[in-house]
Structures are given as C-alpha cells and as structure tokens.
Amino acid sequence: MRKILVILISTFILQAGSFTTAIAQVKQVRIKVNGLACPFCAYGLEKKLKKLDGVGKINISLNKGLATLDSKADQSIEFKNLKKIVKAAGFSATEIAVTVRGVVRKSNDSYILAVSHSQDELILENNEKLNSLLSILNGAPDPVSAMGILYKSKKHKTGSHPFILNITWFETK
Amino acid sequence: MNVFKKTHKRKPLLLLCAMLLLSLSPANLFAHEPIFGLGPHVVFKGGFGIETEYAKELLAGVNELESTTSLRTEIMYGATGNLAVTLSAPTIFGHKTGNGTESSSGIGDISLRTKYRFWRDDKPGIQDAAAVIIGIKLPTGDYESTPPLGSGSTDVLFALAAARESRRWYYFGNVRYRLNSKGNTIRFGNRFFADAAFGVRPWLTEYLKPDLVVMVELNWEAMQPNKIDNQIVANSGGDQLFLSPGIFFTLRNWAIKGGLQIPLLQKLNGLQRETNYRYALAIELHV
C-alpha cells in the first residue's frame, strides 16, 4: 500500500512538473528595431540577443526592422532587459511583442498573467480582449496563450509586476 | 630634375618614407565606413572588431616611380554601445624605387583612438549618428630602419564625423586634424583632412546573406610644410584632392573592403613626387 502511495505521489509530482513547464513560457518575442540599416551591423544584435536565457532561434529582418526570438523547447525567454540589450548593440527597440503561455489570476484590482516557471508576472492591461478572455475563463485557472505588446509599467517600476501586457490575441487551449 | 640628389640621398629618403607612412595611416576602416575617411560607427558593447589592412601608394617622380606598402592590424573594442577604443599597429612596411627594394618589418607606430558616438537617432531602417574621435600616435616604430617603421614623433588626432546610413543610401562627412610633434630631427607639418562619402546598396539583402555596398569618396588633404631645425623644408606640404571609389562586401560578421584613391588635384609645394594612386584592401571580423 505504502509503495503504491509513493508511486502515485511521484507520478503526480512529475506530471505537475511537466504541466508547469508546458504552461509557463514566453514562447516568442518580436522586437521592432529602429536603426537597422546594414547586415554586418546586425551581427552585434544577434550576438547580444543570443545571450538571453531561453533564446533558441533568432531571425533578424532588416527590411522589416524586426528581430524575432523563439524560445528553446520548454524554456521561457528572458525579456526584462530587452531594450537595454538592443541599445548596447547600437540600436533602439521601439516595440516589444510577446507570445506567452501562462495562467490568469486576480491580484488586488488588476489581472495578472503568471509565468510561474520563470517567476515572471505580467499585468494585463484592461481592454476588450482581456474582458472577452475573462468571460471565457469565468474564473477557471486554465492555461492561456496570449500575444500582445509588452511595456514597462510607470506605476510599478520595481517589484514583481514591472511589465504590462496589452493583449491583442489569445487562445484558451 | 630629381629631388633626391645623391649627395643627400639617405636623409630625404627617410623623410619621404616617414611622410608616406603618415599618409598611409588609414583613418579607420571599421564597419560600413568610408575607406579613407571616417565615420561615426562603433562596435557593439563588449564586441571586438579585428582588421588587417594592406595599403599601397605609388608616387611618380620625374625619372622614376616609387611605391610604398604597409600591412596594418587594428583591434577595436566596444566599451559601451557608443564608445569604442581602437589599437592600431602597422607590422610590415616596404619601399620600392627604381634603385631597388627595401623592406622593414616589426611593430610600427602604434595608434590609440577613442571614438564616442555622442548623438544617434534611430528610425526604421535608418541611423543618423555623429561621433568625436581623439587619437594619439606613439613613436613606437623604429624611425632609423630603412624604410622607417615610424615617424619618431608623437602625434595627436582630432576628428568629428557624422553619417546617415539607411538600407539603400549612405552619406558620410568628417573633418580631421592631425597635430604632429617634432620627431628626431624632423617636425612633420600638421595635416587637415576633410572627407565626404556617398554609398549605395544595389540589392537590399537580408541578414546572413552576402551584402554589397558601393561607395565613392572625396578626400581632401591639406599638409603644412615640414621643418628641420626650425627651417621650413621647401619641398614639403601642399594640398591633394582624391576621388576614391570603394566597395564593402560583408557576410554575417566578416567584411572585405577595398578602395582606390585617384588624385583629382595636387598642389604640392616645391618639387615633390605626386601620387599616382593609393589603394587599401582590408578584411575585418567582428566577434
């Protein structure tokens, strides 16, 4: 009986672990980069972005002025210092869009997308997309995939919620 | 009439070689910058730019041709996203006249430059920038070797460069002033440079694809006369204006660059050999 209990608990822990990994990801980051004029200079940007935790494939489009970062399997892309990193490479990041998977929860007067595996939390900006997402979830802690524009909160410069996500697309699968 | 009379053959030869060494010192060949002028480009923070450059100048005297070659290595380090430090050292220097070939090898006059990009305005596919450059050339090269590896003087460079780089077009402009000090016995005249460059990328290739930029420069050099024992050397100093086509070919973090300087105007004091052409070829790697 004890043996069965240990197996059951172990299986539960393992499954919980893989579940957390699956739902806790900044899967893609798209950075609009100003000043990108030459391919040779873009190497510095690639090199700097590659150093970020969780970054797998990088695609830089000079004609679109866009750097796209895809996460490594089961890893979350570190996104907190993106503007600083782009600046150190000699360019300016004007807009950062992320595709993130997480769980929505209420915190005080706002909703938060918890990227628990990486301990990142994004404040969700109140807009129509958020309202329709909340009505679909109806309080259930289901995993959500969301895409949106990321920006730094002027109100919460420090602490655990320095970033706001303005959702432009979501999926509740 | 040959300006190099046999009775005073060695000293003027050394003087000329040292002058050529100074004139062949490249401005800065980093990134998509003019070959013979300067630009405001810096390498990314924590990055290194390593470059080896081969340069040659052919002079025409009344009776003979004279050529000078140099091989130079430069290392640039990006201290910040807007500040770079460059160490430049020529390692081989060769000189050829109708009378024979002479070559020297070893470390030449090491130059140290800092470039601070004090202004940058980024737009989609466009970067406008301006930088100030301060450099010093140290008398580390042997000025008594034949041909000399150094000028024997400590010289200071001040420059201001600005540029607009876009996906298709490149525009560069810069002014430079080199304040030369007295070397062993010679004080080379100070030099003023002004350069303008225009470039075009015929094919808007994406990152990781081979990329070509074609550039044309106008380079003006105003040289004050040299002095020996406080006496002006009559056959020194003057103005030169060059038209300089060049290319940049890059693939990811590798670049091959080359440019040719063709004289448009040469107003040289006294009797001096005029420049037939100069060219520079370089390979550069960013890591």
Side-chain angles (χ1 to χ4, degrees):
Chain A
M1 181 67 191
R2 202 176 155 193
K3 215 172 186 179
I4 293 167
L5 201 64
V6 169
I7 291 167
L8 278 173
I9 290 169
S10 305
T11 311
F12 176 75
I13 289 169
L14 280 170
Q15 279 187 342
S18 63
F19 178 70
T20 309
T21 303
I23 65 163
Q25 261 189 295
V26 174
K27 292 165 77 176
Q28 193 182 66
V29 175
R30 288 155 68 94
I31 313 164
K32 270 193 186 171
V33 183
N34 275 2
L36 263 181
C38 75
F40 190 55
C41 317
Y43 172 73
L45 183 64
E46 183 203 331
K47 198 171 174 188
K48 287 276 168 200
L49 293 173
K50 254 193 177 160
K51 284 184 181 170
L52 286 167
D53 288 344
V55 171
K57 196 178 154 201
I58 295 177
N59 184 276
I60 296 173
S61 169
L62 295 163
N63 291 333
K64 290 176 186 165
L66 197 67
T68 307
L69 286 61
D70 288 314
S71 69
K72 284 181 186 163
D74 295 335
Q75 286 191 37
S76 189
I77 297 171
E78 166 62 54
F79 60 86
K80 283 173 189 160
N81 295 312
L82 280 172
K83 283 206 169 182
K84 218 186 242 183
I85 283 161
V86 173
K87 191 182 171 191
F91 306 100
S92 305
T94 56
E95 191 179 283
I96 297 166
V98 294
T99 304
V100 60
R101 201 160 159 78
V103 176
V104 178
R105 67 172 174 83
K106 196 164 189 317
S107 169
N108 299 327
D109 55 344
S110 53
Y111 285 92
I112 280 167
L113 186 68
V115 190
S116 54
H117 182 62
S118 61
Q119 294 181 336
D120 291 327
E121 289 184 329
L122 307 171
I123 299 170
L124 297 173
E125 187 163 286
N126 197 359
N127 63 12
E128 275 182 26
K129 286 278 176 198
L130 177 64
N131 290 335
S132 46
L133 173 63
L134 292 173
S135 65
I136 290 167
L137 289 173
N138 199 20
D142 294 339
V144 171
S145 287
M147 194 163 78
I149 309 299
L150 191 73
Y151 58 93
K152 259 196 167 173
S153 165
K154 283 177 186 163
K155 238 165 93 181
H156 311 88
K157 278 190 176 168
T158 54
S160 58
H161 310 134
F163 288 94
I164 295 176
L165 183 69
N166 186 354
I167 297 178
T168 54
W169 170 91
F170 68 84
E171 196 176 59
T172 53
K173 275 184 190 170
Chain B
M1 180 186 154
N2 195 328
V3 288
F4 299 101
K5 290 179 181 167
K6 282 183 181 173
T7 48
H8 301 93
K9 197 175 175 182
R10 188 162 171 82
K11 201 167 185 182
L13 187 68
L14 286 174
L15 181 68
L16 182 79
C17 289
M19 282 166 66
L20 291 174
L21 185 71
L22 280 169
S23 70
L24 277 173
S25 298
N28 189 341
L29 291 185
F30 276 98
H32 281 104
E33 300 213 314
I35 306 282
F36 302 100
L38 269 176
H41 245 290
V42 288
V43 71
F44 55 92
K45 186 182 176 184
F48 283 94
I50 303 150
E51 184 198 83
T52 298
E53 181 220 70
Y54 174 81
K56 182 171 180 174
E57 177 168 28
L58 186 75
L59 302 176
V62 176
N63 298 320
E64 62 180 18
L65 293 174
E66 185 172 339
S67 70
T68 310
T69 55
S70 73
L71 190 70
R72 172 178 297 271
T73 302
E74 292 203 348
I75 298 171
M76 182 191 253
Y77 174 69
T80 72
N82 290 314
L83 180 74
V85 184
T86 303
L87 176 79
S88 169
T91 49
I92 298 172
F93 196 64
H95 183 245
K96 193 176 178 181
T97 65
N99 301 326
T101 302
E102 295 159 329
S103 69
S104 306
S105 64
I107 295 291
D109 282 350
I110 288 175
S111 301
L112 272 170
R113 289 192 303 269
T114 58
K115 187 192 280 192
Y116 176 60
R117 185 165 55 181
F118 61 88
W119 176 73
R120 200 183 88 212
D121 185 24
D122 294 334
K123 301 178 190 79
I126 299 172
Q127 188 166 76
D128 295 327
V132 62
I133 299 114
I134 296 171
I136 185 164
K137 187 184 72 61
L138 304 166
T140 50
D142 182 3
Y143 59 85
E144 287 180 326
S145 63
T146 311
L149 285 160
S151 66
S153 61
T154 302
D155 309 325
V156 185
L157 173 82
F158 305 96
L160 195 65
R164 162 165 281 205
E165 295 176 65
S166 70
R167 290 289 293 130
R168 180 75 73 183
W169 308 107
Y170 283 77
Y171 309 93
F172 290 92
N174 80 269
V175 286
R176 289 176 277 157
Y177 190 77
R178 196 166 65 214
L179 192 66
N180 294 329
S181 71
K182 191 181 170 189
N184 185 29
T185 52
I186 308 152
R187 187 190 182 283
F188 293 105
N190 297 336
R191 288 185 171 206
F192 174 79
F193 304 81
D195 309 281
F198 169 73
V200 62
R201 174 177 285 113
W203 301 281
L204 300 185
T205 49
E206 280 290 0
Y207 183 51
L208 302 179
K209 302 280 182 214
D211 181 58
L212 178 76
V213 172
V214 181
M215 198 167 272
V216 64
E217 296 178 47
L218 266 179
N219 313 110
W220 174 43
E221 298 180 16
M223 301 163 282
Q224 286 182 348
N226 304 328
K227 284 181 181 174
I228 296 177
D229 299 330
N230 248 354
Q231 299 295 306
I232 287 175
V233 178
N235 298 332
S236 68
D239 292 83
Q240 287 180 302
L241 181 68
F242 295 93
L243 179 73
S244 317
I247 57 154
F248 297 91
F249 176 80
T250 62
L251 182 61
R252 197 166 180 243
N253 56 333
W254 286 92
I256 296 170
K257 304 177 276 187
L260 174 71
Q261 282 193 306
I262 305 156
L264 289 181
L265 183 77
Q266 300 194 74
K267 280 176 70 179
L268 301 171
N269 302 330
L271 288 165
Q272 294 184 66
R273 286 179 178 164
E274 293 195 331
T275 302
N276 266 12
Y277 64 80
R278 292 176 190 162
Y279 69 76
L281 284 169
I283 186 161
E284 183 184 335
L285 173 70
H286 280 189
V287 287

